[in-house]
């Protein structure tokens, strides 16, 4: 059973950073014992054996977060909680002078990112290939490949850098990856059910059994225009690129999030799928929830209208503006914007 738990933990860590499953899976769970989790490594949980389970807390994932915490300990997040702009808007995410290196090579990728997202806002981050957009989003969720070396991230008034990746998820941060991973041996339905219940536990709300959860899930499937067949398939296994992206949005719809980080959610989508996904994201927006989306193309912004667009270059946000910035980019390319 420990092997099962390890695999589920890995799956969880990868997909949405929900907590370790310490109790046996629900009765309908279909978990293939002994499946190599090599394709689903996220937290560099190198050990594939049950024996490794007790050592999980000492993986690089935790070490990285600890290192990040020491950087952020000087942040007076209380003062940031009080930060209200003139319009009375409430900041959800406050990133100040964020610096991060690749853990292994120590190469600095983020060189002082500043960004504030208020409740109910949609922010788009654009920029040339390799400018640091995905790194930024992965640093936000605590990806172990990166180490924060300076600056601060405050989410809902709390120091995000003090939190483990799974706690960031439970706090209401969701990330849709550019290349969603497969999780062999875990069905979509079971995965979503466990992730959903983990969030409910954290919120002190009643969990749903598989039958109750199915009813909840069916309504969400309609939102993303997915067939029920996908529920019985293993997470993302054999899914087309577009199906994976829809599945990511299904996870968002099921789990909910105060801040959804969508990394190139439009890549690989045909026109109909793009509209479905955009419609689903728009349908999930409330005055309290926010979206931070990374994209290369204006076409996504035609469907999900951003409050602000940021241009990232060489690990920094060099320009912020409204949709005219994206239109300028589309017409003239980055030469019209770069310094
Ligand atoms: N884990 C890593 N190991 C080595 N290099 C990395 C790693 N992560 C990021 N980089 C490098 O950091 C730079 C920024 O990468 P990142 O993926 O953040 O760019 P991006 O702006 O999202 O690019 P794209 O638009 O092509 O997706 C790139 O040069 C990339 O090769």
């Amino acid at each position: 059973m420990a092997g099962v738990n390890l695999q589920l933990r890995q799956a969880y860590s990868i997909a949405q950073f929900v907590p370790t499953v310490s109790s046996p899976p629900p009765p309908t769970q279909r978990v293939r014992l002994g499946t190599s989790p090599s394709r689903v490594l996220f937290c560099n949980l190198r050990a594939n054996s049950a024996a490794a389970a007790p050592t999980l807390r000492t993986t690089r994932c935790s070490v990285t977060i600890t290192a990040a915490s020491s950087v952020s300990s000087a942040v007076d997040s209380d003062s940031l909680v009080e930060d209200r702009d003139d319009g009375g808007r409430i900041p959800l995410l406050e990133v100040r002078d964020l610096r991060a290196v690749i853990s292994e090579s120590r190469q600095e990728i983020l060189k002082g990112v500043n960004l504030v997202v208020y409740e109910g806002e949609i922010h788009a981050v654009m920029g040339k290939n390799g400018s640091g957009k995905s790194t930024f989003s992965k640093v936000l969720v605590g990806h172990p490949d990166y180490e924060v070396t300076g600056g601060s991230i405050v989410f809902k008034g709390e120091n995000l850098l003090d939190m483990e990746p799974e706690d960031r998820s439970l706090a209401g941060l969701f990330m849709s990856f550019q290349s969603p991973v497969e999780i062999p041996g875990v069905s979509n339905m079971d995965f979503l059910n466990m992730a959903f219940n983990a969030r409910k536990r954290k919120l002190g709300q009643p969990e749903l059994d598989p039958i109750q959860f199915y009813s909840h899930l069916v309504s969400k499937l309609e939102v993303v225009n997915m067939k029920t067949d996908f529920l019985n398939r293993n997470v993302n296994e054999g899914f087309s690129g577009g199906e994976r992206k829809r599945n990511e949005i299904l996870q968002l719809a099921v789990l909910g999030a105060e801040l959804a980080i969508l990394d190139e959610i439009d890549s690989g989508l045909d026109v109909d799928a793009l509209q479905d996904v955009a419609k689903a994201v728009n349908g999930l927006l409330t005055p309290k929830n926010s979206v931070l989306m990374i994209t290369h193309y204006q076409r996504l912004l035609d469907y999900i209208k951003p409050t602000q667009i940021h241009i990232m270059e060489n690990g920094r946000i060099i320009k912020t503006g409204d949709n005219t910035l994206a239109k300028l980019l589309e017409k003239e390319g980055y030469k019209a914007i770069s310094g």
Side-chain angles (χ1 to χ4, degrees):
M1 187 53 70
V4 175
N5 287 338
L6 172 61
Q7 187 177 357
L8 290 172
R9 182 191 165 93
Q10 288 170 330
Y12 273 21
S13 299
I14 294 152
Q16 296 314 329
F17 312 98
V18 297
T20 308
V21 178
S22 54
S23 54
T28 57
Q29 180 104 21
R30 290 175 297 282
V31 175
R32 207 161 61 221
L33 287 166
T35 302
S36 164
S38 58
R39 279 179 296 171
V40 296
L41 288 178
F42 171 75
C43 281
N44 289 332
L45 304 176
R46 302 287 181 205
N48 290 347
S49 70
T55 68
L56 286 175
R57 291 278 162 194
T58 62
T59 61
R60 251 180 58 207
C61 190
S62 302
V63 172
T64 303
I65 299 304
T66 306
S69 303
S70 64
V71 168
S72 64
S73 57
V75 176
D76 179 5
S77 58
D78 286 348
S79 64
L80 292 169
V81 178
E82 299 304 319
D83 192 5
R84 300 283 185 277
D85 82 337
D86 289 340
R89 294 175 303 169
I90 300 170
L92 188 63
L93 177 76
E94 301 161 89
V95 179
R96 314 274 188 205
D97 198 26
L98 181 67
R99 291 173 175 272
V101 298
I102 297 169
S103 306
E104 243 173 59
S105 65
R106 312 303 296 169
Q107 182 193 348
E108 187 173 59
I109 305 295
L110 301 184
K111 301 175 181 175
V113 178
N114 288 290
L115 178 76
V116 180
V117 178
Y118 290 88
E119 284 183 354
E121 288 188 341
I122 300 174
H123 288 237
V125 180
M126 305 179 84
K128 286 182 192 169
N129 293 132
S131 55
K133 304 179 297 296
S134 293
T135 301
F136 175 48
S137 60
K138 287 191 266 186
V139 166
L140 288 178
V141 295
H143 195 297
D145 278 2
Y146 309 96
E147 189 179 310
V148 173
T149 51
S152 63
I153 311 174
V154 175
F155 179 61
K156 297 200 299 186
E158 285 187 47
N159 187 345
L160 199 70
L161 296 174
D162 276 347
M163 295 184 206
E164 297 277 357
E166 63 197 47
D167 292 329
R168 298 181 196 204
S169 165
L170 291 171
L173 205 58
F174 174 96
M175 178 162 173
S176 155
F177 286 92
Q178 206 178 106
S179 312
V181 291
E182 294 178 8
I183 307 177
V186 181
S187 82
N188 229 359
M189 165 99 168
D190 294 339
F191 175 76
L192 288 168
N193 198 170
M194 287 182 289
F196 178 86
N197 281 341
R199 186 112 205 265
K200 288 287 168 196
R201 271 198 299 281
K202 165 81 179 177
L203 296 172
Q205 294 171 0
E207 299 178 27
L208 298 185
D209 66 35
I211 293 169
Q212 294 167 320
F213 181 69
Y214 183 77
S215 319
H216 172 71
L217 193 51
V218 166
S219 63
K220 305 297 179 190
L221 277 176
E222 283 166 17
V223 172
V224 288
N225 204 4
M226 270 176 91
K227 293 201 181 96
T228 45
D229 308 1
F230 285 93
L231 296 180
N232 291 324
R233 288 173 62 178
N234 292 339
V235 181
N236 289 328
E237 209 171 33
F239 285 27
S240 73
E243 288 163 354
R244 284 177 188 227
K245 296 291 167 125
R246 278 182 200 257
N247 205 33
E248 293 282 287
I249 300 304
L250 176 65
Q251 288 174 19
L252 172 60
V254 169
L255 300 177
E258 270 94 334
L259 179 65
I261 303 168
L262 310 177
D263 192 355
E264 295 194 25
I265 195 71
D266 50 339
S267 75
L269 293 185
D270 64 38
V271 179
D272 289 352
L274 177 66
Q275 288 184 11
D276 283 346
V277 161
K279 201 171 142 204
V281 171
N282 284 327
L284 296 171
L285 287 169
T286 72
K288 290 260 171 208
N289 294 355
S290 303
V291 171
L292 179 64
M293 55 187 178
I294 293 168
T295 185
H296 283 291
Y297 304 108
Q298 164 70 34
R299 61 177 197 159
L300 179 68
L301 309 182
D302 287 338
Y303 295 111
I304 306 175
K305 307 268 184 226
T307 321
Q308 286 189 353
I309 294 175
H310 309 278
I311 307 297
M312 185 168 268
E313 187 176 289
N314 195 21
R316 283 192 194 93
I317 287 171
I318 57 153
K319 204 156 210 153
T320 291
D322 59 18
N323 212 18
T324 53
L325 211 48
K327 290 202 162 83
L328 180 67
L329 262 186
E330 194 96 327
K331 204 166 149 215
E332 299 184 25
Y334 283 102
K335 65 180 181 314
I337 287 169
S338 300

